[in-house]
Amino acid sequence: MPITHLDEYELWQAARRLAHNTISERRRVLTQFFRETSVQPAHADPLIITRWIAEHDTWADSTIANYVGYLNAWFKWLQAHDHRADNPMVKVGTPKAPTRLPRPLSGRDVQKLLSAPTRMSTHAMILLAALQGLRVHEIAKIRTEDIDLDRQTLRVKGKGKKPAELPLHPIVGEWSRRMPDRGWWFPSRHYPSEHVQAKSVSRTISDQMRRTGVTGTPHQLRHFFATQLLADGADIYTVRDLLRHQNVATTAIYAQLPDEVRRDAIDRLDPWQSVPRLHGAA
């Protein structure tokens, strides 16, 4: 039995230009809810939703927060389109979002990834993640035309297809000479006129991490990028700009200030440098 209103909901999301991953994840969660409760998601009441969440005691706090967000978006849409009068999530409540900490790969791990033998395209993916801070879906869509070697810039389309122009890292610029003369850097194997999917980029980098004994995820290369910028003296607002975040709070999740930088800041703290010594003070 199909889920009531789901096709209409997906069409609305696509028209709003929501990310494909967002649409597919919302469908997956609604499908899982329907399969496990035998209740049409459009007709679910607060008790059923709460019980469904409570039964999955192995879910991480972040998973629960995401799923509650997906359900809330679903019921708000149902209300806005006159498919339902109330939003049961008001009674379910919003779980406290878990505290997220930066989790960058270490410089040694990144060196291992870049030093290990691999395909030219895989190496390029790792460079774009570690030295340009690109997300996997941004890496998938890189074209030779996005590289301007004269101006040393890189054009990318980020979340919501928002364009940005970034400074080109010299190593990425040099590596670009080995990539195709035009078109996609990473064309689809089955459809060469199209680029690979983001999950293909993620899988390719993950496989290389596994081969080299590096523990982590491809997204942690973006955390490395942010952390290394901060460690090398870039201020948090510059890091935010290069990551293309809307606010510094999000950037703080990515950039981990190294212990030696924090220690140096404490060691250099001297009240007598900024405040004139009081007359007659010992």
Side-chain angles (χ1 to χ4, degrees):
M1 180 185 298
I3 296 177
T4 306
H5 305 307
L6 182 56
D7 289 343
E8 183 184 350
Y9 181 47
E10 288 195 336
L11 180 61
W12 177 82
Q13 292 176 91
R16 291 282 304 276
R17 299 295 189 267
L18 296 187
H20 174 75
N21 285 347
T22 298
I23 298 174
S24 62
E25 271 297 285
R26 289 177 175 180
R27 166 181 274 276
R28 184 187 65 78
V29 170
L30 291 171
T31 301
Q32 180 180 348
F33 177 87
F34 185 35
R35 184 179 65 250
E36 295 177 352
T37 66
S38 299
V39 175
Q40 279 283 354
H43 305 146
D45 62 37
L47 180 59
I48 291 174
I49 297 169
T50 302
R51 183 180 292 124
W52 178 65
I53 294 172
E55 287 174 350
H56 292 84
D57 54 4
T58 59
W59 283 352
D61 290 346
S62 58
T63 298
I64 294 175
N66 286 337
Y67 286 13
V68 167
Y70 296 155
L71 290 173
N72 201 23
W74 162 250
F75 287 112
K76 284 184 176 180
W77 177 83
L78 289 173
Q79 278 189 297
H81 289 78
D82 299 322
H83 295 311
R84 181 164 178 145
D86 67 319
N87 181 350
M89 301 308 293
V90 173
K91 294 183 178 179
V92 173
T94 303
K96 183 178 180 181
T99 301
R100 297 169 60 190
L101 298 174
R103 48 192 182 95
L105 289 182
S106 68
R108 181 173 298 179
D109 282 341
V110 174
Q111 289 175 14
K112 287 174 65 176
L113 286 173
L114 294 175
S115 301
T118 188
R119 292 180 301 174
M120 187 181 304
S121 58
T122 300
H123 192 85
M125 290 177 181
I126 295 170
L127 287 176
L128 289 168
L131 302 184
Q132 299 287 170
L134 301 193
R135 306 173 178 94
V136 291
H137 74 87
E138 295 167 343
I139 293 172
K141 295 178 285 189
I142 289 295
R143 302 170 304 162
T144 296
E145 292 80 2
D146 296 325
I147 304 286
D148 189 330
L149 292 175
D150 292 332
R151 298 177 58 237
Q152 288 293 292
T153 58
L154 168 66
R155 291 190 301 273
V156 298
K157 284 188 177 180
K159 286 186 175 181
K161 299 182 181 180
K162 185 176 180 180
E165 187 173 83
L166 303 172
L168 181 67
H169 193 286
I171 295 177
V172 176
E174 184 60 33
W175 195 263
S176 71
R177 301 180 188 278
R178 309 185 188 190
M179 302 305 288
D181 292 335
R182 63 177 61 85
W184 305 117
W185 275 21
F186 314 110
S188 168
R189 181 182 304 176
H190 302 293
Y191 305 99
S193 63
E194 300 178 11
H195 60 77
V196 297
Q197 297 298 310
K199 62 183 179 182
S200 177
V201 175
S202 182
R203 183 169 57 249
T204 298
I205 297 177
S206 294
D207 288 345
Q208 180 66 357
M209 295 173 90
R210 191 160 42 250
R211 285 191 292 267
T212 56
V214 172
T215 302
T217 66
H219 198 66
Q220 286 177 254
L221 287 166
R222 185 165 157 88
H223 287 229
F224 163 81
F225 172 79
T227 294
Q228 196 60 50
L229 287 173
L230 205 60
D232 289 342
D235 63 73
I236 192 70
Y237 295 99
T238 299
V239 179
R240 179 200 62 181
D241 181 72
L242 292 171
L243 288 174
R244 289 152 290 126
H245 287 151
Q246 290 189 351
N247 58 69
V248 172
T250 304
T251 305
I253 298 172
Y254 285 71
Q256 183 179 59
L257 196 62
D259 288 341
E260 57 269 24
V261 175
R262 299 168 66 212
R263 168 51 55 192
D264 182 60
I266 290 294
D267 289 346
R268 289 187 289 105
L269 185 61
D270 183 353
W272 305 118
Q273 287 184 348
S274 56
V275 181
R277 188 182 291 268
L278 295 176
H279 180 70

